[in-house]
Amino acid sequence: MIQTIAFYLFAVLMIASAVMVVTARNPVHSVLWLIVAFFNAAGLMVLVGAEFIAMLLVIVYVGAVAVLFLFVVMMLDIDFAELRAGFIKNAPLGLVIALILLAELVLGIGAYRAGTIDLGIATGENAVVLGASNTASIGALLYSDYLFLFEAAGLILLVAMVGAIVLTHRPPKTVRGHQNIGKQVRRDPNAATVMKRPTVGEGVEL
């Protein structure tokens, strides 16, 4: 009974927060609602016994991706008037994309009702390891049958991270009036200043 109540609670909260992500006018509020949706999705994963997926949702998406979105949105100086003007300008293109996605959704539902595609025969090779947790079963599968694909995905992510750092890195600009400490330390005290003793009425030679 408590599992059913928890399921409907998490499901309703996740759908409501997902709607608020789209309808919220403030981008910061949208990101906060997105974090709420991730937490409720993690609760649903716990209910179905996929605690590893729930942990990934909380640690990776909430702890890294959503917080990164939040900081980026808060640091940007967003002009809401310009944002609304861009929305109105791109509304026809968005409507066309929405119609295409709707047609794909209807086609997918029709194909599902027509019958599933037989992709192969279940042999039980990828079944859950007996006596092991969900995390241990996923680890055993990743590091055995899908080891090469797992390492290739990690290599691709590493290359993407290095590429993002290289593309966004900019050398420091020389600021006018910037203090060069090293140059000041290496200066010659004898050539740093010149003492002038002008006589009265002659002035100073520059």
Side-chain angles (χ1 to χ4, degrees), residues 58-118:
V58 174
I59 295 177
V60 177
Y61 285 93
V62 177
V65 178
V67 175
L68 177 63
F69 286 168
L70 183 61
F71 277 110
V72 170
V73 169
M74 292 178 67
M75 291 173 63
L76 292 177
D77 187 14
I78 300 176
D79 188 1
F80 290 98
E82 184 179 354
L83 190 65
R84 293 191 187 94
F87 175 78
I88 296 174
K89 179 181 178 181
N90 298 320
L93 178 62
L95 183 60
V96 172
I97 295 175
L99 291 176
I100 293 174
L101 293 176
L102 180 61
E104 291 180 351
L105 182 61
V106 172
L107 182 63
I109 294 175
Y112 174 77
R113 290 183 176 178
T116 59
I117 301 175
D118 188 10

Short mmCIF file of all heavy atoms in Angstrom, two decimals, residues 58-118:
data_model
loop_
_atom_site.label_atom_id
_atom_site.label_comp_id
_atom_site.label_asym_id
_atom_site.label_seq_id
_atom_site.Cartn_x
_atom_site.Cartn_y
_atom_site.Cartn_z
N VAL A 58 20.71 11.78 -8.73
CA VAL A 58 20.95 12.75 -7.66
C VAL A 58 22.36 13.31 -7.74
O VAL A 58 22.58 14.53 -7.65
CB VAL A 58 20.70 12.10 -6.28
CG1 VAL A 58 21.08 13.05 -5.15
CG2 VAL A 58 19.24 11.69 -6.15
N ILE A 59 23.36 12.43 -7.94
CA ILE A 59 24.76 12.88 -7.90
C ILE A 59 25.15 13.61 -9.18
O ILE A 59 25.73 14.70 -9.14
CB ILE A 59 25.69 11.68 -7.66
CG1 ILE A 59 25.43 11.08 -6.27
CG2 ILE A 59 27.15 12.10 -7.78
CD1 ILE A 59 26.24 9.86 -5.98
N VAL A 60 24.82 13.02 -10.33
CA VAL A 60 25.28 13.58 -11.60
C VAL A 60 24.38 14.73 -12.04
O VAL A 60 24.85 15.85 -12.29
CB VAL A 60 25.35 12.49 -12.68
CG1 VAL A 60 25.76 13.08 -14.02
CG2 VAL A 60 26.34 11.41 -12.26
N TYR A 61 23.07 14.47 -12.13
CA TYR A 61 22.19 15.49 -12.70
C TYR A 61 21.91 16.62 -11.72
O TYR A 61 22.02 17.80 -12.07
CB TYR A 61 20.88 14.84 -13.16
CG TYR A 61 21.03 14.06 -14.44
CD1 TYR A 61 21.30 12.70 -14.44
CD2 TYR A 61 20.93 14.70 -15.67
CE1 TYR A 61 21.46 12.00 -15.62
CE2 TYR A 61 21.08 14.01 -16.85
CZ TYR A 61 21.34 12.66 -16.82
OH TYR A 61 21.51 11.98 -17.98
N VAL A 62 21.54 16.28 -10.49
CA VAL A 62 21.25 17.33 -9.50
C VAL A 62 22.54 17.97 -9.00
O VAL A 62 22.67 19.19 -8.93
CB VAL A 62 20.44 16.77 -8.33
CG1 VAL A 62 20.20 17.85 -7.27
CG2 VAL A 62 19.11 16.22 -8.82
N GLY A 63 23.53 17.14 -8.67
CA GLY A 63 24.75 17.67 -8.08
C GLY A 63 25.67 18.36 -9.04
O GLY A 63 26.51 19.16 -8.63
N ALA A 64 25.55 18.09 -10.33
CA ALA A 64 26.50 18.68 -11.29
C ALA A 64 25.78 19.46 -12.38
O ALA A 64 25.96 20.67 -12.51
CB ALA A 64 27.36 17.58 -11.90
N VAL A 65 24.95 18.77 -13.15
CA VAL A 65 24.36 19.41 -14.34
C VAL A 65 23.40 20.52 -13.96
O VAL A 65 23.51 21.66 -14.43
CB VAL A 65 23.67 18.35 -15.22
CG1 VAL A 65 23.01 19.00 -16.42
CG2 VAL A 65 24.67 17.29 -15.66
N ALA A 66 22.44 20.22 -13.08
CA ALA A 66 21.43 21.22 -12.71
C ALA A 66 22.05 22.40 -11.97
O ALA A 66 21.68 23.55 -12.20
CB ALA A 66 20.33 20.57 -11.87
N VAL A 67 23.00 22.11 -11.09
CA VAL A 67 23.67 23.20 -10.37
C VAL A 67 24.49 24.05 -11.33
O VAL A 67 24.55 25.29 -11.21
CB VAL A 67 24.55 22.63 -9.24
CG1 VAL A 67 25.35 23.73 -8.56
CG2 VAL A 67 23.69 21.90 -8.21
N LEU A 68 25.11 23.42 -12.33
CA LEU A 68 25.84 24.17 -13.35
C LEU A 68 24.89 25.07 -14.13
O LEU A 68 25.19 26.25 -14.39
CB LEU A 68 26.56 23.21 -14.29
CG LEU A 68 27.32 23.84 -15.45
CD1 LEU A 68 28.45 24.72 -14.94
CD2 LEU A 68 27.85 22.77 -16.38
N PHE A 69 23.73 24.54 -14.53
CA PHE A 69 22.73 25.36 -15.20
C PHE A 69 22.33 26.54 -14.33
O PHE A 69 22.18 27.67 -14.81
CB PHE A 69 21.49 24.52 -15.53
CG PHE A 69 21.70 23.55 -16.67
CD1 PHE A 69 20.78 22.56 -16.93
CD2 PHE A 69 22.82 23.63 -17.47
CE1 PHE A 69 20.96 21.67 -17.97
CE2 PHE A 69 23.03 22.75 -18.51
CZ PHE A 69 22.09 21.78 -18.76
N LEU A 70 22.14 26.27 -13.04
CA LEU A 70 21.70 27.32 -12.12
C LEU A 70 22.73 28.44 -12.04
O LEU A 70 22.39 29.63 -12.12
CB LEU A 70 21.44 26.72 -10.74
CG LEU A 70 20.91 27.67 -9.67
CD1 LEU A 70 19.57 28.25 -10.09
CD2 LEU A 70 20.78 26.96 -8.35
N PHE A 71 24.00 28.09 -11.91
CA PHE A 71 25.04 29.10 -11.82
C PHE A 71 25.16 29.88 -13.13
O PHE A 71 25.35 31.11 -13.11
CB PHE A 71 26.39 28.46 -11.46
CG PHE A 71 26.56 28.24 -9.99
CD1 PHE A 71 26.56 26.96 -9.47
CD2 PHE A 71 26.71 29.31 -9.12
CE1 PHE A 71 26.72 26.74 -8.11
CE2 PHE A 71 26.87 29.10 -7.77
CZ PHE A 71 26.87 27.83 -7.25
N VAL A 72 25.07 29.19 -14.26
CA VAL A 72 25.19 29.87 -15.55
C VAL A 72 24.04 30.84 -15.74
O VAL A 72 24.23 31.99 -16.17
CB VAL A 72 25.25 28.84 -16.69
CG1 VAL A 72 25.12 29.52 -18.04
CG2 VAL A 72 26.55 28.06 -16.62
N VAL A 73 22.83 30.42 -15.42
CA VAL A 73 21.67 31.29 -15.60
C VAL A 73 21.75 32.50 -14.67
O VAL A 73 21.41 33.63 -15.04
CB VAL A 73 20.37 30.49 -15.36
CG1 VAL A 73 19.17 31.41 -15.28
CG2 VAL A 73 20.16 29.49 -16.48
N MET A 74 22.21 32.27 -13.42
CA MET A 74 22.31 33.38 -12.47
C MET A 74 23.43 34.35 -12.84
O MET A 74 23.34 35.55 -12.53
CB MET A 74 22.54 32.84 -11.06
CG MET A 74 21.35 32.07 -10.50
SD MET A 74 21.68 31.38 -8.87
CE MET A 74 21.81 32.87 -7.90
N MET A 75 24.48 33.88 -13.50
CA MET A 75 25.59 34.76 -13.88
C MET A 75 25.30 35.54 -15.15
O MET A 75 25.90 36.60 -15.37
CB MET A 75 26.87 33.93 -14.07
CG MET A 75 27.44 33.37 -12.78
SD MET A 75 28.82 32.25 -13.06
CE MET A 75 30.00 33.36 -13.81
N LEU A 76 24.40 35.04 -15.99
CA LEU A 76 24.10 35.73 -17.25
C LEU A 76 23.17 36.91 -17.00
O LEU A 76 22.26 36.84 -16.17
CB LEU A 76 23.45 34.77 -18.24
CG LEU A 76 24.35 33.64 -18.78
CD1 LEU A 76 23.54 32.75 -19.70
CD2 LEU A 76 25.54 34.21 -19.52
N ASP A 77 23.42 37.96 -17.72
CA ASP A 77 22.54 39.13 -17.67
C ASP A 77 21.50 38.98 -18.78
O ASP A 77 21.71 39.42 -19.91
CB ASP A 77 23.36 40.41 -17.85
CG ASP A 77 22.52 41.65 -17.64
OD1 ASP A 77 21.40 41.52 -17.12
OD2 ASP A 77 22.98 42.75 -18.00
N ILE A 78 20.39 38.34 -18.44
CA ILE A 78 19.39 38.00 -19.44
C ILE A 78 18.43 39.15 -19.62
O ILE A 78 17.85 39.66 -18.64
CB ILE A 78 18.63 36.72 -19.03
CG1 ILE A 78 19.60 35.55 -18.90
CG2 ILE A 78 17.54 36.40 -20.04
CD1 ILE A 78 18.96 34.29 -18.42
N ASP A 79 18.28 39.57 -20.86
CA ASP A 79 17.32 40.61 -21.21
C ASP A 79 16.00 39.93 -21.59
O ASP A 79 15.88 39.34 -22.67
CB ASP A 79 17.85 41.47 -22.36
CG ASP A 79 16.97 42.68 -22.63
OD1 ASP A 79 15.97 42.85 -21.91
OD2 ASP A 79 17.29 43.45 -23.56
N PHE A 80 15.02 40.00 -20.70
CA PHE A 80 13.77 39.28 -20.93
C PHE A 80 12.98 39.87 -22.11
O PHE A 80 12.27 39.15 -22.79
CB PHE A 80 12.91 39.29 -19.66
CG PHE A 80 13.47 38.45 -18.56
CD1 PHE A 80 14.20 39.02 -17.54
CD2 PHE A 80 13.29 37.08 -18.56
CE1 PHE A 80 14.73 38.24 -16.53
CE2 PHE A 80 13.81 36.29 -17.56
CZ PHE A 80 14.54 36.88 -16.53
N ALA A 81 13.11 41.17 -22.34
CA ALA A 81 12.42 41.77 -23.49
C ALA A 81 12.98 41.22 -24.80
O ALA A 81 12.23 40.86 -25.72
CB ALA A 81 12.57 43.29 -23.45
N GLU A 82 14.32 41.12 -24.89
CA GLU A 82 14.94 40.53 -26.07
C GLU A 82 14.61 39.06 -26.20
O GLU A 82 14.44 38.53 -27.31
CB GLU A 82 16.44 40.74 -26.00
CG GLU A 82 17.20 40.27 -27.24
CD GLU A 82 18.69 40.51 -27.12
OE1 GLU A 82 19.11 41.14 -26.12
OE2 GLU A 82 19.43 40.07 -28.01
N LEU A 83 14.51 38.37 -25.05
CA LEU A 83 14.17 36.95 -25.08
C LEU A 83 12.76 36.74 -25.63
O LEU A 83 12.53 35.83 -26.44
CB LEU A 83 14.29 36.39 -23.66
CG LEU A 83 14.20 34.87 -23.50
CD1 LEU A 83 15.38 34.21 -24.20
CD2 LEU A 83 14.20 34.50 -22.02
N ARG A 84 11.82 37.58 -25.23
CA ARG A 84 10.45 37.46 -25.74
C ARG A 84 10.40 37.79 -27.24
O ARG A 84 9.65 37.17 -27.99
CB ARG A 84 9.53 38.38 -24.95
CG ARG A 84 9.35 38.00 -23.49
CD ARG A 84 8.23 38.78 -22.84
NE ARG A 84 8.17 38.53 -21.42
CZ ARG A 84 8.76 39.29 -20.49
NH1 ARG A 84 9.45 40.35 -20.85
NH2 ARG A 84 8.65 38.99 -19.20
N ALA A 85 11.19 38.79 -27.65
CA ALA A 85 11.21 39.14 -29.07
C ALA A 85 11.76 37.98 -29.90
O ALA A 85 11.24 37.68 -30.99
CB ALA A 85 12.05 40.40 -29.28
N GLY A 86 12.81 37.32 -29.40
CA GLY A 86 13.34 36.16 -30.11
C GLY A 86 12.36 35.01 -30.15
O GLY A 86 12.28 34.27 -31.13
N PHE A 87 11.56 34.86 -29.08
CA PHE A 87 10.55 33.80 -29.05
C PHE A 87 9.49 34.04 -30.11
O PHE A 87 9.08 33.12 -30.83
CB PHE A 87 9.92 33.74 -27.66
CG PHE A 87 8.79 32.76 -27.57
CD1 PHE A 87 9.04 31.40 -27.44
CD2 PHE A 87 7.47 33.19 -27.60
CE1 PHE A 87 8.00 30.49 -27.36
CE2 PHE A 87 6.43 32.28 -27.52
CZ PHE A 87 6.70 30.93 -27.39
N ILE A 88 9.05 35.29 -30.23
CA ILE A 88 8.03 35.60 -31.23
C ILE A 88 8.60 35.44 -32.64
O ILE A 88 7.92 34.97 -33.56
CB ILE A 88 7.51 37.04 -31.01
CG1 ILE A 88 6.80 37.12 -29.65
CG2 ILE A 88 6.56 37.45 -32.13
CD1 ILE A 88 6.38 38.52 -29.27
N LYS A 89 9.86 35.80 -32.81
CA LYS A 89 10.49 35.71 -34.13
C LYS A 89 10.63 34.26 -34.59
O LYS A 89 10.43 33.94 -35.76
CB LYS A 89 11.87 36.38 -34.09
CG LYS A 89 12.63 36.33 -35.40
CD LYS A 89 13.97 37.00 -35.26
CE LYS A 89 14.77 36.92 -36.56
NZ LYS A 89 16.10 37.56 -36.43
N ASN A 90 10.97 33.37 -33.66
CA ASN A 90 11.20 31.96 -33.99
C ASN A 90 9.98 31.08 -33.74
O ASN A 90 10.08 29.85 -33.76
CB ASN A 90 12.38 31.41 -33.18
CG ASN A 90 13.67 32.13 -33.50
OD1 ASN A 90 13.94 32.44 -34.65
ND2 ASN A 90 14.47 32.41 -32.48
N ALA A 91 8.83 31.70 -33.48
CA ALA A 91 7.62 30.93 -33.20
C ALA A 91 7.20 30.03 -34.37
O ALA A 91 6.83 28.87 -34.16
CB ALA A 91 6.48 31.86 -32.79
N PRO A 92 7.23 30.50 -35.63
CA PRO A 92 6.84 29.59 -36.73
C PRO A 92 7.73 28.35 -36.84
O PRO A 92 7.23 27.23 -37.03
CB PRO A 92 6.97 30.48 -37.97
CG PRO A 92 6.83 31.87 -37.47
CD PRO A 92 7.46 31.87 -36.12
N LEU A 93 9.04 28.53 -36.68
CA LEU A 93 9.95 27.38 -36.74
C LEU A 93 9.68 26.42 -35.58
O LEU A 93 9.67 25.20 -35.76
CB LEU A 93 11.40 27.86 -36.71
CG LEU A 93 12.47 26.76 -36.71
CD1 LEU A 93 12.38 25.93 -37.98
CD2 LEU A 93 13.85 27.37 -36.57
N GLY A 94 9.45 26.97 -34.41
CA GLY A 94 9.13 26.11 -33.26
C GLY A 94 7.83 25.36 -33.46
O GLY A 94 7.71 24.19 -33.06
N LEU A 95 6.85 25.99 -34.10
CA LEU A 95 5.58 25.32 -34.36
C LEU A 95 5.77 24.17 -35.35
O LEU A 95 5.18 23.09 -35.17
CB LEU A 95 4.57 26.33 -34.92
CG LEU A 95 3.16 25.81 -35.20
CD1 LEU A 95 2.53 25.28 -33.92
CD2 LEU A 95 2.29 26.91 -35.80
N VAL A 96 6.60 24.37 -36.37
CA VAL A 96 6.87 23.30 -37.33
C VAL A 96 7.56 22.12 -36.65
O VAL A 96 7.20 20.95 -36.85
CB VAL A 96 7.73 23.84 -38.49
CG1 VAL A 96 8.19 22.70 -39.39
CG2 VAL A 96 6.95 24.86 -39.30
N ILE A 97 8.55 22.41 -35.79
CA ILE A 97 9.25 21.34 -35.07
C ILE A 97 8.29 20.61 -34.13
O ILE A 97 8.34 19.37 -34.00
CB ILE A 97 10.44 21.93 -34.29
CG1 ILE A 97 11.48 22.49 -35.28
CG2 ILE A 97 11.08 20.87 -33.40
CD1 ILE A 97 12.62 23.20 -34.61
N ALA A 98 7.39 21.36 -33.47
CA ALA A 98 6.42 20.73 -32.57
C ALA A 98 5.48 19.81 -33.34
O ALA A 98 5.15 18.71 -32.86
CB ALA A 98 5.63 21.81 -31.83
N LEU A 99 5.07 20.21 -34.53
CA LEU A 99 4.19 19.35 -35.34
C LEU A 99 4.93 18.09 -35.78
O LEU A 99 4.34 16.99 -35.80
CB LEU A 99 3.69 20.13 -36.55
CG LEU A 99 2.70 21.28 -36.26
CD1 LEU A 99 2.35 22.02 -37.54
CD2 LEU A 99 1.44 20.74 -35.58
N ILE A 100 6.20 18.22 -36.13
CA ILE A 100 6.98 17.04 -36.53
C ILE A 100 7.12 16.07 -35.36
O ILE A 100 6.94 14.85 -35.51
CB ILE A 100 8.36 17.48 -37.04
CG1 ILE A 100 8.22 18.25 -38.35
CG2 ILE A 100 9.27 16.26 -37.25
CD1 ILE A 100 9.51 18.84 -38.86
N LEU A 101 7.41 16.60 -34.17
CA LEU A 101 7.52 15.74 -32.99
C LEU A 101 6.19 15.08 -32.64
O LEU A 101 6.15 13.92 -32.23
CB LEU A 101 8.04 16.56 -31.80
CG LEU A 101 9.48 17.09 -31.92
CD1 LEU A 101 9.82 17.95 -30.72
CD2 LEU A 101 10.46 15.93 -32.04
N LEU A 102 5.10 15.83 -32.81
CA LEU A 102 3.78 15.25 -32.56
C LEU A 102 3.48 14.12 -33.54
O LEU A 102 2.94 13.08 -33.15
CB LEU A 102 2.71 16.34 -32.66
CG LEU A 102 1.26 15.90 -32.42
CD1 LEU A 102 1.11 15.33 -31.01
CD2 LEU A 102 0.30 17.06 -32.65
N ALA A 103 3.84 14.32 -34.82
CA ALA A 103 3.62 13.26 -35.81
C ALA A 103 4.45 12.02 -35.47
O ALA A 103 3.97 10.88 -35.58
CB ALA A 103 3.96 13.77 -37.20
N GLU A 104 5.71 12.23 -35.03
CA GLU A 104 6.54 11.09 -34.64
C GLU A 104 5.96 10.37 -33.42
O GLU A 104 6.00 9.13 -33.35
CB GLU A 104 7.95 11.57 -34.34
CG GLU A 104 8.71 12.04 -35.56
CD GLU A 104 10.11 12.51 -35.22
OE1 GLU A 104 10.40 12.62 -34.00
OE2 GLU A 104 10.90 12.74 -36.15
N LEU A 105 5.42 11.15 -32.48
CA LEU A 105 4.82 10.53 -31.29
C LEU A 105 3.60 9.69 -31.66
O LEU A 105 3.44 8.55 -31.18
CB LEU A 105 4.42 11.62 -30.29
CG LEU A 105 3.83 11.17 -28.97
CD1 LEU A 105 4.83 10.31 -28.20
CD2 LEU A 105 3.42 12.37 -28.12
N VAL A 106 2.74 10.23 -32.52
CA VAL A 106 1.56 9.47 -32.96
C VAL A 106 1.98 8.23 -33.72
O VAL A 106 1.42 7.14 -33.53
CB VAL A 106 0.65 10.38 -33.81
CG1 VAL A 106 -0.49 9.56 -34.43
CG2 VAL A 106 0.08 11.51 -32.97
N LEU A 107 3.00 8.36 -34.58
CA LEU A 107 3.48 7.21 -35.33
C LEU A 107 4.08 6.15 -34.40
O LEU A 107 3.86 4.95 -34.58
CB LEU A 107 4.54 7.67 -36.34
CG LEU A 107 5.12 6.58 -37.26
CD1 LEU A 107 4.04 5.98 -38.13
CD2 LEU A 107 6.24 7.16 -38.11
N GLY A 108 4.81 6.60 -33.38
CA GLY A 108 5.39 5.64 -32.42
C GLY A 108 4.32 4.91 -31.63
O GLY A 108 4.42 3.69 -31.40
N ILE A 109 3.27 5.63 -31.21
CA ILE A 109 2.18 4.98 -30.47
C ILE A 109 1.45 3.98 -31.36
O ILE A 109 1.10 2.87 -30.94
CB ILE A 109 1.21 6.04 -29.92
CG1 ILE A 109 1.92 6.90 -28.86
CG2 ILE A 109 -0.02 5.39 -29.32
CD1 ILE A 109 1.09 8.05 -28.35
N GLY A 110 1.25 4.36 -32.64
CA GLY A 110 0.59 3.43 -33.56
C GLY A 110 1.43 2.19 -33.80
O GLY A 110 0.90 1.07 -33.85
N ALA A 111 2.76 2.37 -33.93
CA ALA A 111 3.63 1.21 -34.13
C ALA A 111 3.66 0.33 -32.90
O ALA A 111 3.72 -0.90 -33.00
CB ALA A 111 5.04 1.69 -34.48
N TYR A 112 3.59 0.94 -31.72
CA TYR A 112 3.59 0.14 -30.48
C TYR A 112 2.31 -0.68 -30.36
O TYR A 112 2.34 -1.85 -29.96
CB TYR A 112 3.74 1.08 -29.29
CG TYR A 112 3.61 0.37 -27.96
CD1 TYR A 112 4.66 -0.39 -27.45
CD2 TYR A 112 2.44 0.47 -27.21
CE1 TYR A 112 4.55 -1.04 -26.24
CE2 TYR A 112 2.32 -0.17 -25.99
CZ TYR A 112 3.36 -0.92 -25.51
OH TYR A 112 3.25 -1.57 -24.31
N ARG A 113 1.18 -0.08 -30.72
CA ARG A 113 -0.08 -0.82 -30.64
C ARG A 113 -0.15 -1.91 -31.72
O ARG A 113 -0.84 -2.92 -31.53
CB ARG A 113 -1.26 0.14 -30.80
CG ARG A 113 -1.43 1.07 -29.61
CD ARG A 113 -2.65 1.95 -29.78
NE ARG A 113 -2.87 2.77 -28.59
CZ ARG A 113 -3.86 3.66 -28.48
NH1 ARG A 113 -4.71 3.85 -29.49
NH2 ARG A 113 -3.99 4.37 -27.37
N ALA A 114 0.54 -1.71 -32.84
CA ALA A 114 0.52 -2.72 -33.90
C ALA A 114 1.29 -3.97 -33.52
O ALA A 114 1.04 -5.04 -34.06
CB ALA A 114 1.08 -2.13 -35.20
N GLY A 115 2.21 -3.83 -32.57
CA GLY A 115 2.99 -4.99 -32.16
C GLY A 115 4.47 -4.64 -32.05
O GLY A 115 4.97 -3.81 -32.82
N THR A 116 5.12 -5.26 -31.11
CA THR A 116 6.53 -4.97 -30.91
C THR A 116 7.39 -5.66 -31.97
O THR A 116 6.97 -6.64 -32.58
CB THR A 116 6.98 -5.43 -29.52
OG1 THR A 116 6.74 -6.84 -29.40
CG2 THR A 116 6.22 -4.71 -28.42
N ILE A 117 8.58 -5.12 -32.18
CA ILE A 117 9.52 -5.69 -33.14
C ILE A 117 10.34 -6.77 -32.44
O ILE A 117 10.88 -6.55 -31.36
CB ILE A 117 10.44 -4.59 -33.71
CG1 ILE A 117 9.60 -3.51 -34.39
CG2 ILE A 117 11.45 -5.17 -34.68
CD1 ILE A 117 10.42 -2.33 -34.86
N ASP A 118 10.44 -7.91 -33.09
CA ASP A 118 11.21 -9.01 -32.52
C ASP A 118 12.68 -8.81 -32.88
O ASP A 118 13.10 -9.04 -34.01
CB ASP A 118 10.70 -10.34 -33.08
CG ASP A 118 11.34 -11.53 -32.36
OD1 ASP A 118 12.02 -11.29 -31.35
OD2 ASP A 118 11.16 -12.67 -32.83
#
